[in-house]
Amino acid sequence: MYHKVGPMPPGTKLRAHYVSLRRFSGQLRLLRLLKFQWCRVADLWSPEAPDRAIALTFDDGYRNFLTHAWPILQAGGMGGTVFPVTRLLGCENSWDTANGERPEPLLTIEELKELDRAGAEIGSHTQTHADLVAVDPGKARLEIEQSRRDLQAILTQPIDVFCYPYGRKSAESERLVTEAGYRFATSTIGGWNTESTNPLELRRTNVRRDTSPSVLLFKLLRDRKRG
Ligand SMILES: [Zn+2]
């Protein structure tokens, strides 16, 4: 699980969310060394999935995914899954700036279309980055359903994957996600995904600014045991 890749603006509060280009390249080098092969989240359980399949997810849909992460991923024969906030395309991370965070530009509709054409996997992260446990059920349903429709209206790929903002979810959110037509949803719980993992609560390894390749190796091995 990544958030931002590239230079960190001065005064940033959530410093851990910014992974430098050098570090990002080092992490991908490690994954290649370990013979991991990139896979879309929606294809992790397909018969064509590679033996050592790994999905790389990027929350919030920052523009730096396209400008910084994507070229490095492509050069290394990999891809990525991006989770934009559909009503904030072309805007900033207002859910964070409201709490004093530095603004970071989000992908525009055109940029998201470009990623769609280029083969990135795109999933939903709601319309406004809503905390699905804090809002009323009607609003939660709208955020989950309408964001999928927003993406379907502009993209060519099926929208199969949902990402819970803040990793916050309930049994009710899982139900709404299924009813909206998603097949998978990602959590912020660390671990590897197996046949027995709940597809609406997929495990992820959190990659941070301070995750050096050796720390990443440690985290992957630890998460493998957690399953
Ligand atoms: Zn988010």
Side-chain angles (χ1 to χ4, degrees):
M1 168 175 58
Y2 285 94
H3 284 85
K4 301 154 183 158
V5 176
M8 182 176 70
T12 295
K13 281 183 169 180
L14 284 166
R15 297 171 61 88
H17 276 192
Y18 282 87
V19 174
S20 74
L21 289 182
R22 196 167 147 261
R23 183 135 282 175
F24 186 59
S25 300
Q27 291 163 347
L28 296 189
R29 221 174 295 128
L30 172 76
L31 296 179
R32 279 195 299 275
L33 215 73
L34 297 173
K35 307 273 185 246
F36 279 111
Q37 281 185 277
W38 179 71
C39 186
R40 296 161 68 92
V41 173
D43 292 338
L44 282 171
W45 284 277
S46 95
E48 289 91 49
D51 282 345
R52 212 171 282 188
I54 191 166
L56 301 170
T57 62
F58 298 80
D59 289 15
D60 304 331
Y62 295 103
R63 178 179 285 152
N64 57 28
F65 173 72
L66 174 67
T67 55
H68 292 79
W70 187 247
I72 299 177
L73 287 165
Q74 293 283 278
M78 298 180 118
T81 304
V82 63
F83 294 116
V85 177
T86 63
R87 290 294 159 102
L88 293 176
L89 289 167
C91 305
E92 291 171 345
N93 47 339
S94 51
W95 64 92
D96 275 342
T97 55
N99 299 315
E101 183 54 289
R102 303 292 302 160
E104 189 63 51
L106 301 172
L107 292 161
T108 64
I109 290 177
E110 278 315 309
E111 288 165 341
L112 197 62
K113 285 181 174 176
E114 188 183 332
L115 284 167
D116 181 41
R117 285 192 297 269
E121 183 180 38
I122 298 164
S124 163
H125 199 36
T126 73
Q127 287 189 304
T128 65
H129 207 273
D131 177 343
L132 296 174
V133 178
V135 298
D136 67 69
K139 166 87 169 151
R141 178 184 287 278
L142 204 71
E143 289 274 349
I144 293 167
E145 280 181 0
Q146 290 295 337
S147 59
R148 183 161 186 261
R149 293 209 186 106
D150 290 343
L151 294 175
Q152 284 171 327
I154 54 171
L155 305 177
T156 59
Q157 63 182 274
I159 307 302
D160 288 322
V161 192
F162 183 81
C163 174
Y164 305 101
Y166 312 102
R168 303 252 298 155
K169 64 182 277 291
S170 61
E172 168 79 359
S173 342
E174 275 192 22
R175 193 174 61 79
L176 292 172
V177 164
T178 308
E179 284 177 10
Y182 300 97
R183 296 159 56 217
F184 302 96
T186 59
S187 75
T188 51
I189 304 168
W192 285 29
N193 299 296
T194 66
E195 295 287 339
S196 58
T197 309
N198 174 0
L200 298 175
E201 198 178 54
L202 295 181
R203 303 326 199 211
R204 294 192 290 175
T205 296
N206 189 15
V207 185
R208 300 160 33 116
R209 182 173 188 79
D210 57 2
T211 308
S212 64
S214 52
V215 170
L216 180 59
L217 179 62
F218 166 80
K219 283 186 167 199
L220 288 169
L221 294 173
R222 180 199 61 191
D223 285 355
R224 183 186 194 174
K225 273 194 214 137
R226 283 181 181 167

mmCIF file with all atom_site columns, all heavy atoms in Angstrom, residues 15 18 32 35 46 49 112 115 142 144 190 219:
data_model
loop_
_atom_site.group_PDB
_atom_site.id
_atom_site.type_symbol
_atom_site.label_atom_id
_atom_site.label_alt_id
_atom_site.label_comp_id
_atom_site.label_asym_id
_atom_site.label_entity_id
_atom_site.label_seq_id
_atom_site.pdbx_PDB_ins_code
_atom_site.Cartn_x
_atom_site.Cartn_y
_atom_site.Cartn_z
_atom_site.occupancy
_atom_site.B_iso_or_equiv
_atom_site.pdbx_formal_charge
_atom_site.auth_seq_id
_atom_site.auth_comp_id
_atom_site.auth_asym_id
_atom_site.auth_atom_id
_atom_site.pdbx_PDB_model_num
ATOM 1  N N   . ARG A 1 15  ? 4.536   12.698  6.864   1.00 0.00 ? 15  ARG A N   1
ATOM 2  C CA  . ARG A 1 15  ? 5.786   12.483  6.130   1.00 0.00 ? 15  ARG A CA  1
ATOM 3  C C   . ARG A 1 15  ? 5.910   11.040  5.643   1.00 0.00 ? 15  ARG A C   1
ATOM 4  O O   . ARG A 1 15  ? 6.448   10.782  4.578   1.00 0.00 ? 15  ARG A O   1
ATOM 5  C CB  . ARG A 1 15  ? 6.976   12.837  7.021   1.00 0.00 ? 15  ARG A CB  1
ATOM 6  C CG  . ARG A 1 15  ? 7.000   14.304  7.422   1.00 0.00 ? 15  ARG A CG  1
ATOM 7  C CD  . ARG A 1 15  ? 8.064   14.563  8.483   1.00 0.00 ? 15  ARG A CD  1
ATOM 8  N NE  . ARG A 1 15  ? 9.410   14.252  8.006   1.00 0.00 ? 15  ARG A NE  1
ATOM 9  C CZ  . ARG A 1 15  ? 10.192  15.090  7.366   1.00 0.00 ? 15  ARG A CZ  1
ATOM 10 N NH1 . ARG A 1 15  ? 9.780   16.315  7.119   1.00 0.00 ? 15  ARG A NH1 1
ATOM 11 N NH2 . ARG A 1 15  ? 11.393  14.719  6.967   1.00 0.00 ? 15  ARG A NH2 1
ATOM 12 N N   . TYR A 1 18  ? 5.064   9.920   1.969   1.00 0.00 ? 18  TYR A N   1
ATOM 13 C CA  . TYR A 1 18  ? 5.869   10.239  0.777   1.00 0.00 ? 18  TYR A CA  1
ATOM 14 C C   . TYR A 1 18  ? 7.048   9.276   0.651   1.00 0.00 ? 18  TYR A C   1
ATOM 15 O O   . TYR A 1 18  ? 7.926   9.252   1.516   1.00 0.00 ? 18  TYR A O   1
ATOM 16 C CB  . TYR A 1 18  ? 6.428   11.655  0.871   1.00 0.00 ? 18  TYR A CB  1
ATOM 17 C CG  . TYR A 1 18  ? 5.420   12.726  0.536   1.00 0.00 ? 18  TYR A CG  1
ATOM 18 C CD1 . TYR A 1 18  ? 4.578   13.242  1.512   1.00 0.00 ? 18  TYR A CD1 1
ATOM 19 C CD2 . TYR A 1 18  ? 5.311   13.225  -0.768  1.00 0.00 ? 18  TYR A CD2 1
ATOM 20 C CE1 . TYR A 1 18  ? 3.647   14.227  1.206   1.00 0.00 ? 18  TYR A CE1 1
ATOM 21 C CE2 . TYR A 1 18  ? 4.384   14.207  -1.071  1.00 0.00 ? 18  TYR A CE2 1
ATOM 22 C CZ  . TYR A 1 18  ? 3.559   14.706  -0.082  1.00 0.00 ? 18  TYR A CZ  1
ATOM 23 O OH  . TYR A 1 18  ? 2.642   15.668  -0.390  1.00 0.00 ? 18  TYR A OH  1
ATOM 24 N N   . ARG A 1 32  ? 11.582  -7.441  -7.697  1.00 0.00 ? 32  ARG A N   1
ATOM 25 C CA  . ARG A 1 32  ? 11.997  -8.202  -8.894  1.00 0.00 ? 32  ARG A CA  1
ATOM 26 C C   . ARG A 1 32  ? 12.998  -9.290  -8.522  1.00 0.00 ? 32  ARG A C   1
ATOM 27 O O   . ARG A 1 32  ? 12.942  -10.406 -9.021  1.00 0.00 ? 32  ARG A O   1
ATOM 28 C CB  . ARG A 1 32  ? 12.585  -7.254  -9.946  1.00 0.00 ? 32  ARG A CB  1
ATOM 29 C CG  . ARG A 1 32  ? 11.521  -6.545  -10.773 1.00 0.00 ? 32  ARG A CG  1
ATOM 30 C CD  . ARG A 1 32  ? 12.115  -5.912  -12.015 1.00 0.00 ? 32  ARG A CD  1
ATOM 31 N NE  . ARG A 1 32  ? 13.119  -4.922  -11.679 1.00 0.00 ? 32  ARG A NE  1
ATOM 32 C CZ  . ARG A 1 32  ? 12.853  -3.648  -11.394 1.00 0.00 ? 32  ARG A CZ  1
ATOM 33 N NH1 . ARG A 1 32  ? 11.609  -3.225  -11.412 1.00 0.00 ? 32  ARG A NH1 1
ATOM 34 N NH2 . ARG A 1 32  ? 13.810  -2.811  -11.085 1.00 0.00 ? 32  ARG A NH2 1
ATOM 35 N N   . LYS A 1 35  ? 11.526  -12.242 -7.394  1.00 0.00 ? 35  LYS A N   1
ATOM 36 C CA  . LYS A 1 35  ? 10.752  -12.886 -8.483  1.00 0.00 ? 35  LYS A CA  1
ATOM 37 C C   . LYS A 1 35  ? 9.252   -12.643 -8.396  1.00 0.00 ? 35  LYS A C   1
ATOM 38 O O   . LYS A 1 35  ? 8.445   -13.459 -8.864  1.00 0.00 ? 35  LYS A O   1
ATOM 39 C CB  . LYS A 1 35  ? 11.014  -14.406 -8.529  1.00 0.00 ? 35  LYS A CB  1
ATOM 40 C CG  . LYS A 1 35  ? 12.473  -14.790 -8.597  1.00 0.00 ? 35  LYS A CG  1
ATOM 41 C CD  . LYS A 1 35  ? 12.934  -14.807 -10.050 1.00 0.00 ? 35  LYS A CD  1
ATOM 42 C CE  . LYS A 1 35  ? 14.368  -15.317 -10.171 1.00 0.00 ? 35  LYS A CE  1
ATOM 43 N NZ  . LYS A 1 35  ? 15.288  -14.299 -10.643 1.00 0.00 ? 35  LYS A NZ  1
ATOM 44 N N   . SER A 1 46  ? -7.106  -15.286 -10.614 1.00 0.00 ? 46  SER A N   1
ATOM 45 C CA  . SER A 1 46  ? -7.452  -15.848 -11.916 1.00 0.00 ? 46  SER A CA  1
ATOM 46 C C   . SER A 1 46  ? -6.435  -16.943 -12.263 1.00 0.00 ? 46  SER A C   1
ATOM 47 O O   . SER A 1 46  ? -5.303  -16.923 -11.782 1.00 0.00 ? 46  SER A O   1
ATOM 48 C CB  . SER A 1 46  ? -7.449  -14.749 -12.985 1.00 0.00 ? 46  SER A CB  1
ATOM 49 O OG  . SER A 1 46  ? -6.211  -14.708 -13.641 1.00 0.00 ? 46  SER A OG  1
ATOM 50 N N   . ALA A 1 49  ? -2.994  -15.844 -13.350 1.00 0.00 ? 49  ALA A N   1
ATOM 51 C CA  . ALA A 1 49  ? -2.139  -15.044 -12.457 1.00 0.00 ? 49  ALA A CA  1
ATOM 52 C C   . ALA A 1 49  ? -0.765  -15.699 -12.337 1.00 0.00 ? 49  ALA A C   1
ATOM 53 O O   . ALA A 1 49  ? -0.661  -16.923 -12.301 1.00 0.00 ? 49  ALA A O   1
ATOM 54 C CB  . ALA A 1 49  ? -2.788  -14.941 -11.082 1.00 0.00 ? 49  ALA A CB  1
ATOM 55 N N   . LEU A 1 112 ? -6.484  10.371  -15.607 1.00 0.00 ? 112 LEU A N   1
ATOM 56 C CA  . LEU A 1 112 ? -6.987  9.053   -15.226 1.00 0.00 ? 112 LEU A CA  1
ATOM 57 C C   . LEU A 1 112 ? -7.310  8.225   -16.480 1.00 0.00 ? 112 LEU A C   1
ATOM 58 O O   . LEU A 1 112 ? -7.017  7.033   -16.543 1.00 0.00 ? 112 LEU A O   1
ATOM 59 C CB  . LEU A 1 112 ? -8.233  9.215   -14.345 1.00 0.00 ? 112 LEU A CB  1
ATOM 60 C CG  . LEU A 1 112 ? -8.624  7.977   -13.543 1.00 0.00 ? 112 LEU A CG  1
ATOM 61 C CD1 . LEU A 1 112 ? -7.530  7.582   -12.559 1.00 0.00 ? 112 LEU A CD1 1
ATOM 62 C CD2 . LEU A 1 112 ? -9.932  8.208   -12.797 1.00 0.00 ? 112 LEU A CD2 1
ATOM 63 N N   . LEU A 1 115 ? -4.128  6.825   -17.836 1.00 0.00 ? 115 LEU A N   1
ATOM 64 C CA  . LEU A 1 115 ? -3.683  5.642   -17.083 1.00 0.00 ? 115 LEU A CA  1
ATOM 65 C C   . LEU A 1 115 ? -4.525  4.421   -17.450 1.00 0.00 ? 115 LEU A C   1
ATOM 66 O O   . LEU A 1 115 ? -4.031  3.305   -17.525 1.00 0.00 ? 115 LEU A O   1
ATOM 67 C CB  . LEU A 1 115 ? -3.764  5.913   -15.580 1.00 0.00 ? 115 LEU A CB  1
ATOM 68 C CG  . LEU A 1 115 ? -2.658  6.809   -15.025 1.00 0.00 ? 115 LEU A CG  1
ATOM 69 C CD1 . LEU A 1 115 ? -2.997  7.289   -13.616 1.00 0.00 ? 115 LEU A CD1 1
ATOM 70 C CD2 . LEU A 1 115 ? -1.319  6.070   -15.014 1.00 0.00 ? 115 LEU A CD2 1
ATOM 71 N N   . LEU A 1 142 ? -24.286 5.887   -1.118  1.00 0.00 ? 142 LEU A N   1
ATOM 72 C CA  . LEU A 1 142 ? -24.064 6.816   -2.230  1.00 0.00 ? 142 LEU A CA  1
ATOM 73 C C   . LEU A 1 142 ? -22.575 6.895   -2.588  1.00 0.00 ? 142 LEU A C   1
ATOM 74 O O   . LEU A 1 142 ? -22.192 6.818   -3.756  1.00 0.00 ? 142 LEU A O   1
ATOM 75 C CB  . LEU A 1 142 ? -24.557 8.201   -1.790  1.00 0.00 ? 142 LEU A CB  1
ATOM 76 C CG  . LEU A 1 142 ? -24.955 9.169   -2.888  1.00 0.00 ? 142 LEU A CG  1
ATOM 77 C CD1 . LEU A 1 142 ? -26.254 8.712   -3.536  1.00 0.00 ? 142 LEU A CD1 1
ATOM 78 C CD2 . LEU A 1 142 ? -25.123 10.578  -2.308  1.00 0.00 ? 142 LEU A CD2 1
ATOM 79 N N   . ILE A 1 144 ? -20.257 4.756   -2.118  1.00 0.00 ? 144 ILE A N   1
ATOM 80 C CA  . ILE A 1 144 ? -19.743 3.494   -2.662  1.00 0.00 ? 144 ILE A CA  1
ATOM 81 C C   . ILE A 1 144 ? -20.295 3.253   -4.068  1.00 0.00 ? 144 ILE A C   1
ATOM 82 O O   . ILE A 1 144 ? -19.555 2.951   -5.005  1.00 0.00 ? 144 ILE A O   1
ATOM 83 C CB  . ILE A 1 144 ? -20.108 2.336   -1.706  1.00 0.00 ? 144 ILE A CB  1
ATOM 84 C CG1 . ILE A 1 144 ? -19.342 2.496   -0.375  1.00 0.00 ? 144 ILE A CG1 1
ATOM 85 C CG2 . ILE A 1 144 ? -19.811 0.985   -2.334  1.00 0.00 ? 144 ILE A CG2 1
ATOM 86 C CD1 . ILE A 1 144 ? -19.840 1.599   0.760   1.00 0.00 ? 144 ILE A CD1 1
ATOM 87 N N   . GLY A 1 190 ? -2.301  -5.686  7.625   1.00 0.00 ? 190 GLY A N   1
ATOM 88 C CA  . GLY A 1 190 ? -1.116  -6.276  7.014   1.00 0.00 ? 190 GLY A CA  1
ATOM 89 C C   . GLY A 1 190 ? -1.275  -7.772  6.823   1.00 0.00 ? 190 GLY A C   1
ATOM 90 O O   . GLY A 1 190 ? -1.918  -8.446  7.640   1.00 0.00 ? 190 GLY A O   1
ATOM 91 N N   . LYS A 1 219 ? 9.134   -6.770  6.381   1.00 0.00 ? 219 LYS A N   1
ATOM 92 C CA  . LYS A 1 219 ? 7.664   -6.626  6.450   1.00 0.00 ? 219 LYS A CA  1
ATOM 93 C C   . LYS A 1 219 ? 6.961   -7.706  5.646   1.00 0.00 ? 219 LYS A C   1
ATOM 94 O O   . LYS A 1 219 ? 5.936   -8.248  6.062   1.00 0.00 ? 219 LYS A O   1
ATOM 95 C CB  . LYS A 1 219 ? 7.243   -5.258  5.887   1.00 0.00 ? 219 LYS A CB  1
ATOM 96 C CG  . LYS A 1 219 ? 7.485   -4.089  6.812   1.00 0.00 ? 219 LYS A CG  1
ATOM 97 C CD  . LYS A 1 219 ? 6.890   -2.823  6.195   1.00 0.00 ? 219 LYS A CD  1
ATOM 98 C CE  . LYS A 1 219 ? 6.821   -1.711  7.223   1.00 0.00 ? 219 LYS A CE  1
ATOM 99 N NZ  . LYS A 1 219 ? 5.882   -0.662  6.842   1.00 0.00 ? 219 LYS A NZ  1
#
